[in-house]
Amino acid sequence: MNTGLSNTIKELFSSTTGKIGLTLFSGMVVISFWAILSNPLDFGTTLWNNPQAWADNPKNVPPTWSKIFTNSPPVDHMVLTLSEPTGTLETTRGTEKEFSFDINYSFDDQPSFTSLTIQDVEFAAKPPTLVLTIARPDGKILKVYRYAVPGAREGEVQPMHRHRDKPFRVFLTGDPSVASYLSQFLYRDFSFRISDKELTGRADEIIFGTPNENLDGNFLPLKGQYTITLVARMQDSGDSIGKVQIAIGGSHFGLMGTDSNGRDLARGLIFGFPIALIIGLTTALTATAIGTSMGIISGYTGGKTDICIQRFCDLLTNIPLLPILLFLAFILGQKLWIVMLVLVIFGWPGLAIVIRSMVLQLRSGQLVEATTALGASRWRIMLRHIFPQIAPFVFAQMIFFTPAAILAEAGLSFLGLGDPSVPTWGQILDQGFRTGAVYVGYWWWVLPPGILIVITALTFVLIAMAMESVVDPRLRGIRN
């Protein structure tokens, strides 16, 4: 086992399993760096657990690529944004600024929702009034929504600002005032009377559809060109709106779909890569370093030191892990560092016991006896002559411990003991099972994190298998 670092690396690259494992590991590292650079470090608190960040996304929809398996074209998700008006009209009452969006609707189903978002409204004296209308392919113009921006507060200086930090968002699909406008529209243009209450939550069926011939409350999709226009009636020409956004919910989204909160699962899964590596590598390095140190000291020193270390290892290995985590989560809260700390504390004793047995054999070897006879100190012998002989084994054990730590964290998160502020793969699985994703067929919510956990574990297992010929030279020449 006295193999140098260069020989170890050579052995890794000379085997097929080693090449596959290192290739997968390199890919994980690249994705991890990209995830860290493309997202804020507090991604979990500022974005992942912030419902406003995903408000304009459809809920519980499959990935975009899954539409190749459907017969009819699903509704595409559309988010249209304007920061400048498309037209301005001066009137005797002030200025009207128009924000118009053209949409070619060619789908066989209605959208899952429609929302309007207004941000950073600035006015000098009188607050603007906003009116949303939709010109349909059948030539009918539908007034959908009206909103009066809150006026000046006592003591507020000009210019006044509204919805600057937190945008104003209204979901037209379930808004009662929208249902009232739609009820009037159906009676006026189709002589179809239906109450506001019956239309609540069905706005998209009327906006992007037309009543069937029986007028039984069902609507057929209306394909063609739509023009959605927001008219801002302002007293002063200097008044402005920073952003106007229209979101039309589709039936698919992104690379991995969305969950019940509309969160982009692809972003959560990608951000889970660096979290998984941090958990696995940090826990493995720390536990391996402690276990190796304690094992070498215990095996070489002997006496009372050996007895104390071994009895302490026996104590830790017989303490149940789950009750400890439940207790700490209840007292200190569900924190990721607590999970990692517990995995380290209960992970090193097993390695220390194995290392001790190896050191006991090496201690009686000729190399150690000769070095002792030359007057070398205990620490020098342990560091320079014993550790290099067990280093390949320690390295292999560290590789094995890495996926074990990742799987342990995923399992604990699945049980609800993980840190809810960090989007780990175990957390995504846990939230999927809690909301019944398995039972209603939301496969995109459950399968990808499970597959990533398996691939990550397989990556380190392949690297560890390639290390077998380093740990046991008798296996050299055998290639899987």
Side-chain angles (χ1 to χ4, degrees), residues 43 48 259 263-272 409-410 413-414 422-435 437 444-450 452-453:
F43 172 80
W48 187 252
D259 61 9
R263 293 181 295 194
D264 186 357
L265 289 175
R267 294 190 64 179
L269 293 171
I270 290 174
F271 198 81
E409 187 281 331
S413 296
F414 182 75
V422 181
T424 65
W425 297 330
Q427 285 285 346
I428 296 175
L429 270 176
D430 173 53
Q431 292 163 0
F433 274 84
R434 285 189 178 186
T435 54
W444 58 90
W445 194 347
V446 179
L447 287 182
L452 288 177
I453 292 173

mmCIF file of all heavy atoms in Angstrom, residues 43 48 259 263-272 409-410 413-414 422-435 437 444-450 452-453:
data_model
loop_
_atom_site.group_PDB
_atom_site.id
_atom_site.type_symbol
_atom_site.label_atom_id
_atom_site.label_comp_id
_atom_site.label_asym_id
_atom_site.label_seq_id
_atom_site.Cartn_x
_atom_site.Cartn_y
_atom_site.Cartn_z
ATOM 1 N N PHE A 43 -29.616 32.107 -2.270
ATOM 2 C CA PHE A 43 -30.665 31.685 -3.199
ATOM 3 C C PHE A 43 -31.850 31.067 -2.466
ATOM 4 O O PHE A 43 -33.007 31.289 -2.833
ATOM 5 C CB PHE A 43 -30.073 30.689 -4.201
ATOM 6 C CG PHE A 43 -31.078 30.030 -5.096
ATOM 7 C CD1 PHE A 43 -31.577 30.685 -6.199
ATOM 8 C CD2 PHE A 43 -31.523 28.740 -4.831
ATOM 9 C CE1 PHE A 43 -32.505 30.071 -7.036
ATOM 10 C CE2 PHE A 43 -32.443 28.120 -5.648
ATOM 11 C CZ PHE A 43 -32.938 28.791 -6.754
ATOM 12 N N TRP A 48 -35.724 30.888 -3.596
ATOM 13 C CA TRP A 48 -36.399 29.593 -3.547
ATOM 14 C C TRP A 48 -37.589 29.597 -2.598
ATOM 15 O O TRP A 48 -38.642 29.021 -2.909
ATOM 16 C CB TRP A 48 -35.399 28.514 -3.146
ATOM 17 C CG TRP A 48 -35.949 27.127 -3.235
ATOM 18 C CD1 TRP A 48 -36.293 26.298 -2.205
ATOM 19 C CD2 TRP A 48 -36.241 26.401 -4.428
ATOM 20 N NE1 TRP A 48 -36.766 25.104 -2.683
ATOM 21 C CE2 TRP A 48 -36.746 25.140 -4.056
ATOM 22 C CE3 TRP A 48 -36.122 26.693 -5.790
ATOM 23 C CZ2 TRP A 48 -37.127 24.180 -4.976
ATOM 24 C CZ3 TRP A 48 -36.507 25.740 -6.717
ATOM 25 C CH2 TRP A 48 -37.004 24.505 -6.311
ATOM 26 N N ASP A 259 -43.207 23.181 -9.380
ATOM 27 C CA ASP A 259 -43.891 22.529 -8.259
ATOM 28 C C ASP A 259 -45.174 23.281 -7.939
ATOM 29 O O ASP A 259 -45.628 24.127 -8.725
ATOM 30 C CB ASP A 259 -42.966 22.446 -7.046
ATOM 31 C CG ASP A 259 -42.528 23.818 -6.550
ATOM 32 O OD1 ASP A 259 -43.073 24.846 -7.036
ATOM 33 O OD2 ASP A 259 -41.651 23.885 -5.668
ATOM 34 N N ARG A 263 -42.313 27.144 -8.518
ATOM 35 C CA ARG A 263 -40.853 27.257 -8.543
ATOM 36 C C ARG A 263 -40.267 26.436 -9.688
ATOM 37 O O ARG A 263 -40.713 25.319 -9.951
ATOM 38 C CB ARG A 263 -40.265 26.792 -7.207
ATOM 39 C CG ARG A 263 -40.626 27.706 -6.060
ATOM 40 C CD ARG A 263 -40.034 27.253 -4.748
ATOM 41 N NE ARG A 263 -40.572 25.976 -4.304
ATOM 42 C CZ ARG A 263 -40.411 25.509 -3.070
ATOM 43 N NH1 ARG A 263 -39.719 26.206 -2.179
ATOM 44 N NH2 ARG A 263 -40.933 24.345 -2.731
ATOM 45 N N ASP A 264 -39.280 27.009 -10.333
ATOM 46 C CA ASP A 264 -38.589 26.334 -11.426
ATOM 47 C C ASP A 264 -37.723 25.226 -10.830
ATOM 48 O O ASP A 264 -36.674 25.487 -10.224
ATOM 49 C CB ASP A 264 -37.734 27.342 -12.194
ATOM 50 C CG ASP A 264 -37.096 26.740 -13.435
ATOM 51 O OD1 ASP A 264 -37.271 25.529 -13.655
ATOM 52 O OD2 ASP A 264 -36.424 27.480 -14.179
ATOM 53 N N LEU A 265 -38.135 23.984 -10.999
ATOM 54 C CA LEU A 265 -37.424 22.866 -10.389
ATOM 55 C C LEU A 265 -36.016 22.709 -10.953
ATOM 56 O O LEU A 265 -35.126 22.217 -10.255
ATOM 57 C CB LEU A 265 -38.218 21.579 -10.586
ATOM 58 C CG LEU A 265 -39.512 21.469 -9.769
ATOM 59 C CD1 LEU A 265 -40.270 20.207 -10.147
ATOM 60 C CD2 LEU A 265 -39.202 21.468 -8.276
ATOM 61 N N ALA A 266 -35.806 23.122 -12.193
ATOM 62 C CA ALA A 266 -34.465 23.018 -12.774
ATOM 63 C C ALA A 266 -33.468 23.861 -11.987
ATOM 64 O O ALA A 266 -32.340 23.426 -11.724
ATOM 65 C CB ALA A 266 -34.487 23.454 -14.238
ATOM 66 N N ARG A 267 -33.871 25.060 -11.580
ATOM 67 C CA ARG A 267 -32.966 25.918 -10.811
ATOM 68 C C ARG A 267 -32.684 25.324 -9.435
ATOM 69 O O ARG A 267 -31.552 25.382 -8.945
ATOM 70 C CB ARG A 267 -33.557 27.322 -10.673
ATOM 71 C CG ARG A 267 -33.662 28.072 -11.982
ATOM 72 C CD ARG A 267 -34.020 29.525 -11.758
ATOM 73 N NE ARG A 267 -32.975 30.240 -11.033
ATOM 74 C CZ ARG A 267 -33.031 31.533 -10.727
ATOM 75 N NH1 ARG A 267 -34.105 32.236 -11.100
ATOM 76 N NH2 ARG A 267 -32.059 32.117 -10.071
ATOM 77 N N GLY A 268 -33.704 24.752 -8.818
ATOM 78 C CA GLY A 268 -33.485 24.118 -7.522
ATOM 79 C C GLY A 268 -32.583 22.902 -7.622
ATOM 80 O O GLY A 268 -31.704 22.699 -6.773
ATOM 81 N N LEU A 269 -32.769 22.101 -8.671
ATOM 82 C CA LEU A 269 -31.936 20.912 -8.848
ATOM 83 C C LEU A 269 -30.493 21.293 -9.149
ATOM 84 O O LEU A 269 -29.549 20.665 -8.645
ATOM 85 C CB LEU A 269 -32.500 20.045 -9.974
ATOM 86 C CG LEU A 269 -33.864 19.395 -9.706
ATOM 87 C CD1 LEU A 269 -34.396 18.748 -10.981
ATOM 88 C CD2 LEU A 269 -33.757 18.357 -8.599
ATOM 89 N N ILE A 270 -30.291 22.318 -9.974
ATOM 90 C CA ILE A 270 -28.930 22.750 -10.302
ATOM 91 C C ILE A 270 -28.238 23.327 -9.073
ATOM 92 O O ILE A 270 -27.064 23.047 -8.811
ATOM 93 C CB ILE A 270 -28.965 23.780 -11.448
ATOM 94 C CG1 ILE A 270 -29.365 23.076 -12.749
ATOM 95 C CG2 ILE A 270 -27.617 24.469 -11.607
ATOM 96 C CD1 ILE A 270 -29.563 24.014 -13.919
ATOM 97 N N PHE A 271 -28.965 24.115 -8.270
ATOM 98 C CA PHE A 271 -28.357 24.662 -7.062
ATOM 99 C C PHE A 271 -28.088 23.568 -6.037
ATOM 100 O O PHE A 271 -27.279 23.752 -5.122
ATOM 101 C CB PHE A 271 -29.273 25.734 -6.451
ATOM 102 C CG PHE A 271 -28.569 26.636 -5.477
ATOM 103 C CD1 PHE A 271 -27.810 27.690 -5.934
ATOM 104 C CD2 PHE A 271 -28.670 26.414 -4.116
ATOM 105 C CE1 PHE A 271 -27.146 28.526 -5.042
ATOM 106 C CE2 PHE A 271 -28.018 27.237 -3.214
ATOM 107 C CZ PHE A 271 -27.252 28.300 -3.681
ATOM 108 N N GLY A 272 -28.738 22.422 -6.195
ATOM 109 C CA GLY A 272 -28.482 21.310 -5.291
ATOM 110 C C GLY A 272 -27.123 20.655 -5.509
ATOM 111 O O GLY A 272 -26.609 19.973 -4.603
ATOM 112 N N GLU A 409 -27.965 12.984 4.332
ATOM 113 C CA GLU A 409 -28.646 14.284 4.353
ATOM 114 C C GLU A 409 -29.959 14.219 3.585
ATOM 115 O O GLU A 409 -30.977 14.776 4.025
ATOM 116 C CB GLU A 409 -27.734 15.353 3.760
ATOM 117 C CG GLU A 409 -28.269 16.772 3.871
ATOM 118 C CD GLU A 409 -29.321 17.126 2.836
ATOM 119 O OE1 GLU A 409 -29.279 16.553 1.729
ATOM 120 O OE2 GLU A 409 -30.199 17.957 3.144
ATOM 121 N N ALA A 410 -29.941 13.538 2.429
ATOM 122 C CA ALA A 410 -31.165 13.412 1.638
ATOM 123 C C ALA A 410 -32.232 12.650 2.416
ATOM 124 O O ALA A 410 -33.415 13.020 2.398
ATOM 125 C CB ALA A 410 -30.862 12.716 0.312
ATOM 126 N N SER A 413 -33.530 14.934 5.204
ATOM 127 C CA SER A 413 -34.402 15.967 4.631
ATOM 128 C C SER A 413 -35.745 15.374 4.227
ATOM 129 O O SER A 413 -36.792 16.005 4.382
ATOM 130 C CB SER A 413 -33.729 16.612 3.415
ATOM 131 O OG SER A 413 -32.554 17.296 3.787
ATOM 132 N N PHE A 414 -35.719 14.152 3.701
ATOM 133 C CA PHE A 414 -36.961 13.486 3.317
ATOM 134 C C PHE A 414 -37.844 13.233 4.530
ATOM 135 O O PHE A 414 -39.080 13.248 4.423
ATOM 136 C CB PHE A 414 -36.640 12.172 2.607
ATOM 137 C CG PHE A 414 -37.843 11.437 2.119
ATOM 138 C CD1 PHE A 414 -38.526 11.859 0.995
ATOM 139 C CD2 PHE A 414 -38.313 10.319 2.784
ATOM 140 C CE1 PHE A 414 -39.643 11.191 0.544
ATOM 141 C CE2 PHE A 414 -39.424 9.637 2.339
ATOM 142 C CZ PHE A 414 -40.090 10.073 1.213
ATOM 143 N N VAL A 422 -32.548 25.752 2.499
ATOM 144 C CA VAL A 422 -31.569 25.339 1.492
ATOM 145 C C VAL A 422 -32.221 24.332 0.548
ATOM 146 O O VAL A 422 -32.725 23.301 1.004
ATOM 147 C CB VAL A 422 -30.329 24.707 2.155
ATOM 148 C CG1 VAL A 422 -29.312 24.298 1.087
ATOM 149 C CG2 VAL A 422 -29.700 25.685 3.137
ATOM 150 N N PRO A 423 -32.243 24.606 -0.756
ATOM 151 C CA PRO A 423 -32.895 23.686 -1.700
ATOM 152 C C PRO A 423 -32.024 22.481 -2.033
ATOM 153 O O PRO A 423 -31.376 22.421 -3.075
ATOM 154 C CB PRO A 423 -33.131 24.569 -2.932
ATOM 155 C CG PRO A 423 -32.033 25.576 -2.878
ATOM 156 C CD PRO A 423 -31.758 25.826 -1.425
ATOM 157 N N THR A 424 -31.981 21.506 -1.136
ATOM 158 C CA THR A 424 -31.260 20.270 -1.425
ATOM 159 C C THR A 424 -32.184 19.305 -2.155
ATOM 160 O O THR A 424 -33.406 19.478 -2.177
ATOM 161 C CB THR A 424 -30.758 19.624 -0.124
ATOM 162 O OG1 THR A 424 -31.891 19.231 0.673
ATOM 163 C CG2 THR A 424 -29.907 20.590 0.678
ATOM 164 N N TRP A 425 -31.596 18.282 -2.744
ATOM 165 C CA TRP A 425 -32.408 17.290 -3.462
ATOM 166 C C TRP A 425 -33.336 16.558 -2.509
ATOM 167 O O TRP A 425 -34.470 16.223 -2.869
ATOM 168 C CB TRP A 425 -31.484 16.300 -4.177
ATOM 169 C CG TRP A 425 -30.641 16.968 -5.220
ATOM 170 C CD1 TRP A 425 -30.967 18.068 -5.947
ATOM 171 C CD2 TRP A 425 -29.339 16.577 -5.658
ATOM 172 N NE1 TRP A 425 -29.953 18.399 -6.812
ATOM 173 C CE2 TRP A 425 -28.943 17.498 -6.659
ATOM 174 C CE3 TRP A 425 -28.469 15.556 -5.313
ATOM 175 C CZ2 TRP A 425 -27.706 17.409 -7.303
ATOM 176 C CZ3 TRP A 425 -27.243 15.463 -5.959
ATOM 177 C CH2 TRP A 425 -26.873 16.377 -6.941
ATOM 178 N N GLY A 426 -32.883 16.322 -1.300
ATOM 179 C CA GLY A 426 -33.743 15.684 -0.311
ATOM 180 C C GLY A 426 -34.932 16.554 0.057
ATOM 181 O O GLY A 426 -36.049 16.054 0.251
ATOM 182 N N GLN A 427 -34.702 17.874 0.141
ATOM 183 C CA GLN A 427 -35.800 18.793 0.441
ATOM 184 C C GLN A 427 -36.840 18.781 -0.674
ATOM 185 O O GLN A 427 -38.048 18.792 -0.415
ATOM 186 C CB GLN A 427 -35.247 20.217 0.623
ATOM 187 C CG GLN A 427 -34.540 20.446 1.938
ATOM 188 C CD GLN A 427 -35.523 20.572 3.086
ATOM 189 O OE1 GLN A 427 -36.718 20.741 2.880
ATOM 190 N NE2 GLN A 427 -35.018 20.462 4.296
ATOM 191 N N ILE A 428 -36.384 18.785 -1.919
ATOM 192 C CA ILE A 428 -37.324 18.769 -3.051
ATOM 193 C C ILE A 428 -38.148 17.483 -3.038
ATOM 194 O O ILE A 428 -39.369 17.496 -3.273
ATOM 195 C CB ILE A 428 -36.553 18.918 -4.376
ATOM 196 C CG1 ILE A 428 -35.871 20.297 -4.429
ATOM 197 C CG2 ILE A 428 -37.479 18.749 -5.571
ATOM 198 C CD1 ILE A 428 -34.994 20.500 -5.646
ATOM 199 N N LEU A 429 -37.498 16.356 -2.750
ATOM 200 C CA LEU A 429 -38.232 15.096 -2.638
ATOM 201 C C LEU A 429 -39.251 15.147 -1.510
ATOM 202 O O LEU A 429 -40.404 14.715 -1.681
ATOM 203 C CB LEU A 429 -37.243 13.957 -2.391
ATOM 204 C CG LEU A 429 -36.656 13.241 -3.609
ATOM 205 C CD1 LEU A 429 -35.625 12.221 -3.158
ATOM 206 C CD2 LEU A 429 -37.739 12.584 -4.430
ATOM 207 N N ASP A 430 -38.842 15.679 -0.379
ATOM 208 C CA ASP A 430 -39.728 15.757 0.782
ATOM 209 C C ASP A 430 -40.962 16.600 0.471
ATOM 210 O O ASP A 430 -42.088 16.211 0.780
ATOM 211 C CB ASP A 430 -38.968 16.342 1.966
ATOM 212 C CG ASP A 430 -39.872 16.611 3.161
ATOM 213 O OD1 ASP A 430 -40.589 15.682 3.577
ATOM 214 O OD2 ASP A 430 -39.866 17.750 3.677
ATOM 215 N N GLN A 431 -40.754 17.760 -0.168
ATOM 216 C CA GLN A 431 -41.886 18.628 -0.499
ATOM 217 C C GLN A 431 -42.798 17.977 -1.527
ATOM 218 O O GLN A 431 -44.018 18.156 -1.491
ATOM 219 C CB GLN A 431 -41.361 19.967 -1.006
ATOM 220 C CG GLN A 431 -40.661 20.785 0.073
ATOM 221 C CD GLN A 431 -39.790 21.882 -0.485
ATOM 222 O OE1 GLN A 431 -39.692 22.059 -1.692
ATOM 223 N NE2 GLN A 431 -39.135 22.624 0.397
ATOM 224 N N GLY A 432 -42.202 17.199 -2.446
ATOM 225 C CA GLY A 432 -43.023 16.494 -3.428
ATOM 226 C C GLY A 432 -43.921 15.450 -2.785
ATOM 227 O O GLY A 432 -45.103 15.341 -3.117
ATOM 228 N N PHE A 433 -43.381 14.697 -1.839
ATOM 229 C CA PHE A 433 -44.189 13.675 -1.160
ATOM 230 C C PHE A 433 -45.217 14.319 -0.241
ATOM 231 O O PHE A 433 -46.333 13.809 -0.093
ATOM 232 C CB PHE A 433 -43.275 12.739 -0.369
ATOM 233 C CG PHE A 433 -42.730 11.600 -1.188
ATOM 234 C CD1 PHE A 433 -41.600 11.770 -1.959
ATOM 235 C CD2 PHE A 433 -43.367 10.376 -1.198
ATOM 236 C CE1 PHE A 433 -41.097 10.727 -2.725
ATOM 237 C CE2 PHE A 433 -42.871 9.328 -1.961
ATOM 238 C CZ PHE A 433 -41.735 9.499 -2.724
ATOM 239 N N ARG A 434 -44.869 15.416 0.395
ATOM 240 C CA ARG A 434 -45.818 16.070 1.305
ATOM 241 C C ARG A 434 -47.033 16.608 0.572
ATOM 242 O O ARG A 434 -48.137 16.641 1.122
ATOM 243 C CB ARG A 434 -45.122 17.209 2.053
ATOM 244 C CG ARG A 434 -44.183 16.749 3.155
ATOM 245 C CD ARG A 434 -43.706 17.926 3.968
ATOM 246 N NE ARG A 434 -42.837 17.529 5.057
ATOM 247 C CZ ARG A 434 -42.378 18.349 5.989
ATOM 248 N NH1 ARG A 434 -42.723 19.630 5.960
ATOM 249 N NH2 ARG A 434 -41.589 17.915 6.939
ATOM 250 N N THR A 435 -46.842 17.087 -0.639
ATOM 251 C CA THR A 435 -47.946 17.656 -1.403
ATOM 252 C C THR A 435 -48.635 16.624 -2.290
ATOM 253 O O THR A 435 -49.499 16.990 -3.096
ATOM 254 C CB THR A 435 -47.444 18.825 -2.272
ATOM 255 O OG1 THR A 435 -46.350 18.383 -3.083
ATOM 256 C CG2 THR A 435 -46.973 19.978 -1.408
ATOM 257 N N ALA A 437 -47.299 14.667 -4.728
ATOM 258 C CA ALA A 437 -46.878 14.630 -6.130
ATOM 259 C C ALA A 437 -46.835 13.205 -6.667
ATOM 260 O O ALA A 437 -47.116 12.972 -7.850
ATOM 261 C CB ALA A 437 -45.506 15.290 -6.276
ATOM 262 N N TRP A 444 -42.139 14.668 -12.685
ATOM 263 C CA TRP A 444 -41.013 15.583 -12.843
ATOM 264 C C TRP A 444 -40.573 16.197 -11.510
ATOM 265 O O TRP A 444 -39.496 16.769 -11.417
ATOM 266 C CB TRP A 444 -41.395 16.701 -13.813
ATOM 267 C CG TRP A 444 -42.603 17.484 -13.370
ATOM 268 C CD1 TRP A 444 -42.613 18.605 -12.578
ATOM 269 C CD2 TRP A 444 -43.970 17.203 -13.681
ATOM 270 N NE1 TRP A 444 -43.893 19.044 -12.376
ATOM 271 C CE2 TRP A 444 -44.760 18.198 -13.051
ATOM 272 C CE3 TRP A 444 -44.610 16.231 -14.428
ATOM 273 C CZ2 TRP A 444 -46.147 18.227 -13.152
ATOM 274 C CZ3 TRP A 444 -45.988 16.276 -14.523
ATOM 275 C CH2 TRP A 444 -46.738 17.252 -13.896
ATOM 276 N N TRP A 445 -41.413 16.073 -10.511
ATOM 277 C CA TRP A 445 -41.091 16.613 -9.195
ATOM 278 C C TRP A 445 -40.328 15.594 -8.342
ATOM 279 O O TRP A 445 -39.545 15.957 -7.459
ATOM 280 C CB TRP A 445 -42.384 17.017 -8.493
ATOM 281 C CG TRP A 445 -42.230 17.878 -7.284
ATOM 282 C CD1 TRP A 445 -41.077 18.152 -6.591
ATOM 283 C CD2 TRP A 445 -43.259 18.596 -6.614
ATOM 284 N NE1 TRP A 445 -41.330 18.999 -5.548
ATOM 285 C CE2 TRP A 445 -42.674 19.281 -5.530
ATOM 286 C CE3 TRP A 445 -44.629 18.716 -6.808
ATOM 287 C CZ2 TRP A 445 -43.407 20.075 -4.656
ATOM 288 C CZ3 TRP A 445 -45.363 19.512 -5.939
ATOM 289 C CH2 TRP A 445 -44.751 20.185 -4.882
ATOM 290 N N VAL A 446 -40.499 14.317 -8.610
ATOM 291 C CA VAL A 446 -39.953 13.264 -7.760
ATOM 292 C C VAL A 446 -38.772 12.540 -8.407
ATOM 293 O O VAL A 446 -37.745 12.291 -7.747
ATOM 294 C CB VAL A 446 -41.056 12.246 -7.400
ATOM 295 C CG1 VAL A 446 -40.489 11.131 -6.534
ATOM 296 C CG2 VAL A 446 -42.221 12.935 -6.694
ATOM 297 N N LEU A 447 -38.885 12.199 -9.687
ATOM 298 C CA LEU A 447 -37.840 11.397 -10.328
ATOM 299 C C LEU A 447 -36.497 12.121 -10.467
ATOM 300 O O LEU A 447 -35.451 11.544 -10.142
ATOM 301 C CB LEU A 447 -38.325 10.925 -11.699
ATOM 302 C CG LEU A 447 -39.383 9.815 -11.703
ATOM 303 C CD1 LEU A 447 -39.724 9.421 -13.136
ATOM 304 C CD2 LEU A 447 -38.879 8.603 -10.944
ATOM 305 N N PRO A 448 -36.445 13.385 -10.967
ATOM 306 C CA PRO A 448 -35.132 14.027 -11.161
ATOM 307 C C PRO A 448 -34.272 14.125 -9.903
ATOM 308 O O PRO A 448 -33.086 13.759 -9.964
ATOM 309 C CB PRO A 448 -35.501 15.416 -11.716
ATOM 310 C CG PRO A 448 -36.802 15.202 -12.396
ATOM 311 C CD PRO A 448 -37.530 14.206 -11.548
ATOM 312 N N PRO A 449 -34.794 14.588 -8.744
ATOM 313 C CA PRO A 449 -33.906 14.620 -7.568
ATOM 314 C C PRO A 449 -33.459 13.231 -7.136
ATOM 315 O O PRO A 449 -32.311 13.053 -6.709
ATOM 316 C CB PRO A 449 -34.765 15.295 -6.489
ATOM 317 C CG PRO A 449 -36.172 15.159 -6.940
ATOM 318 C CD PRO A 449 -36.103 15.175 -8.432
ATOM 319 N N GLY A 450 -34.334 12.237 -7.255
ATOM 320 C CA GLY A 450 -33.935 10.875 -6.910
ATOM 321 C C GLY A 450 -32.847 10.352 -7.829
ATOM 322 O O GLY A 450 -31.877 9.718 -7.382
ATOM 323 N N LEU A 452 -30.669 12.170 -9.518
ATOM 324 C CA LEU A 452 -29.428 12.895 -9.240
ATOM 325 C C LEU A 452 -28.731 12.361 -7.993
ATOM 326 O O LEU A 452 -27.496 12.290 -7.946
ATOM 327 C CB LEU A 452 -29.725 14.389 -9.083
ATOM 328 C CG LEU A 452 -30.082 15.140 -10.367
ATOM 329 C CD1 LEU A 452 -30.421 16.587 -10.063
ATOM 330 C CD2 LEU A 452 -28.946 15.063 -11.367
ATOM 331 N N ILE A 453 -29.502 11.991 -6.992
ATOM 332 C CA ILE A 453 -28.898 11.403 -5.785
ATOM 333 C C ILE A 453 -28.215 10.085 -6.133
ATOM 334 O O ILE A 453 -27.090 9.807 -5.688
ATOM 335 C CB ILE A 453 -29.975 11.199 -4.700
ATOM 336 C CG1 ILE A 453 -30.474 12.555 -4.187
ATOM 337 C CG2 ILE A 453 -29.420 10.382 -3.535
ATOM 338 C CD1 ILE A 453 -31.654 12.450 -3.244
#
